[in-house]
Amino acid sequence: MSRYEYGVDFDAIKAIDIHTHVEIDGCGHHSLDDELMAASEKYFKSGEERSPSIEAMAQHYRERNMAAVVFTVDAQSATGHPPNNVEEIAERAAEFNDVLIPFGSVDPLQGKAAVKRVHRLVDEFGVKGFKFHPSMQGFEPNDRQFYPLYEAIVECGVPALFHTGQTGIGAGMPGGHGIKLRYSDPMLLDDVAADFPDLTVIMAHPAVPWVDEQISIATHKANVYIDLSGWSPKYFPPQLVRAANSMLRNKVLFGSDFPVIQVDRWLADYAKLEMKPEVEPLLFKENAMRVLGIKR
């Protein structure tokens, strides 16, 4: 096993995609059960390969002169479905470290075992952050029983990325396949950010239907950022575009949600927004480098 170390030429690349999913492992095991996988494919209508391999993802981003943060979600306690191999993502990212940056995932409902795994994933595998999906993982992020997790992440000096807002996972299914949207209200993360000022928190996606709350939190808390993945930019709420162009220009991060949203589609729709040219270097790379703690 080789521990991940950065091999990205950060001066040469034009962007860092902060939000991409590895949804299949080397044994062919998917991150979602068959029903959820089919429903998400129908919801996102990508038309492309739904679960590309890590090799294919590395090539995809290399061709675009970009780096990509890659991860999955361990939601076994809430869903009963074992995740695809989290450690394998870090190991394979180490093989493609010129373009891929691994984040880890732990199941918050596993308590002390999850805390121990945070340290192991950073110390032994070199992951550069952690991904949480409160709705899929079935937990309220501001419940104090999960605070030891955040303490561990702070000790490791890496960011935590939380899904916020509506989710395409379970969309259109009876009862949303049991997935509850309220767990992904960004106001729950306001508590976390306030109680852990040394924790870098990334709110993933325009947090429909709580975008105004999301903008307020990112404006108020120096340690909170917003990634713009999960929605085509043509659907961005106008107040989010205004904030990204002004007071949140140092707080917004390029993300696609690949493979469910294709990078090329995101970029084509983004080009139609009226974004200020001076914001783009921040949005596409500089802000992400600060979040990841990369110094030049």
Side-chain angles (χ1 to χ4, degrees):
M1 181 186 81
S2 59
R3 184 179 185 276
Y4 179 87
E5 301 289 349
Y6 283 120
V8 180
D9 184 342
F10 288 104
D11 289 323
I13 60 166
K14 67 180 184 182
I16 298 170
D17 187 337
I18 202 79
H19 196 119
T20 78
H21 292 265
V22 177
E23 302 208 301
I24 192 168
D25 61 25
C27 296
H29 180 71
H30 283 90
S31 60
L32 303 172
D33 65 42
D34 292 345
E35 282 185 285
L36 280 177
M37 187 66 77
S40 68
E41 199 163 346
K42 182 178 178 183
Y43 175 84
F44 284 105
K45 303 186 182 79
S46 167
E48 301 291 336
E49 170 58 51
R50 181 66 180 82
S51 48
S53 66
I54 283 200
E55 295 96 325
M57 290 180 69
Q59 184 61 25
H60 189 79
Y61 282 91
R62 197 176 286 125
E63 288 170 356
R64 286 156 181 77
N65 193 27
M66 296 180 181
V69 171
V70 291
F71 47 66
T72 189
V73 177
D74 185 345
Q76 183 165 357
S77 294
T79 67
H81 181 78
N84 52 318
N85 194 313
V86 175
E87 287 78 7
E88 181 186 282
I89 291 173
E91 290 179 327
R92 298 305 312 279
E95 295 178 42
F96 304 103
N97 69 344
D98 62 315
V99 283
L100 301 184
I101 301 168
F103 273 22
S105 179
V106 298
D107 182 345
L109 302 182
Q110 290 185 350
K112 290 180 180 177
V115 173
K116 184 184 260 186
R117 195 177 186 198
V118 163
H119 285 290
R120 181 168 178 262
L121 283 167
V122 173
D123 295 342
E124 296 182 24
F125 291 88
V127 304
K128 299 302 182 183
F130 286 88
K131 164 67 187 287
F132 294 96
H133 196 309
S135 291
M136 276 190 68
Q137 293 175 312
F139 79 108
E140 293 179 326
N142 65 344
D143 189 319
R144 297 188 74 87
Q145 71 174 297
F146 304 113
Y147 276 26
L149 259 184
Y150 310 141
E151 289 167 5
I153 294 171
V154 170
E155 287 170 12
C156 291
V158 297
L161 186 152
F162 293 82
H163 173 95
T164 60
Q166 182 180 331
T167 179
I169 307 302
M173 300 179 71
H177 207 61
I179 293 168
K180 296 173 181 175
L181 298 181
R182 68 181 177 87
Y183 291 139
S184 293
D185 184 338
M187 288 308 297
L188 302 178
L189 296 177
D190 186 63
D191 292 356
V192 176
D195 293 340
F196 292 91
D198 294 327
L199 176 66
T200 297
V201 174
I202 306 166
M203 296 185 288
H205 319 308
V208 176
W210 302 291
V211 172
D212 290 331
E213 290 91 331
Q214 181 183 42
I215 291 169
S216 294
I217 296 165
T219 303
H220 189 251
K221 301 290 189 294
N223 52 322
V224 178
Y225 295 76
I226 301 173
D227 92 34
L228 300 176
S229 69
W231 296 83
S232 161
K234 70 181 178 181
Y235 297 122
F236 286 179
Q239 66 269 39
L240 180 60
V241 177
R242 283 197 303 272
N245 253 332
S246 54
M247 62 206 182
L248 291 185
R249 65 174 57 193
N250 293 307
K251 293 297 203 80
V252 287
L253 308 166
F254 163 55
S256 65
D257 216 6
F258 183 86
V260 294
I261 291 184
Q262 294 292 307
V263 180
D264 296 344
R265 180 203 174 184
W266 194 101
L267 292 172
D269 289 346
Y270 170 85
K272 297 169 186 171
L273 297 180
E274 294 185 2
M275 294 296 293
K276 296 176 181 176
E278 61 268 28
V279 172
E280 295 194 352
L282 303 171
L283 186 155
F284 280 103
K285 187 164 69 169
E286 301 301 328
N287 294 343
M289 290 180 64
R290 187 166 63 257
V291 162
L292 294 169
I294 297 161
K295 297 179 174 63
R296 288 151 120 174

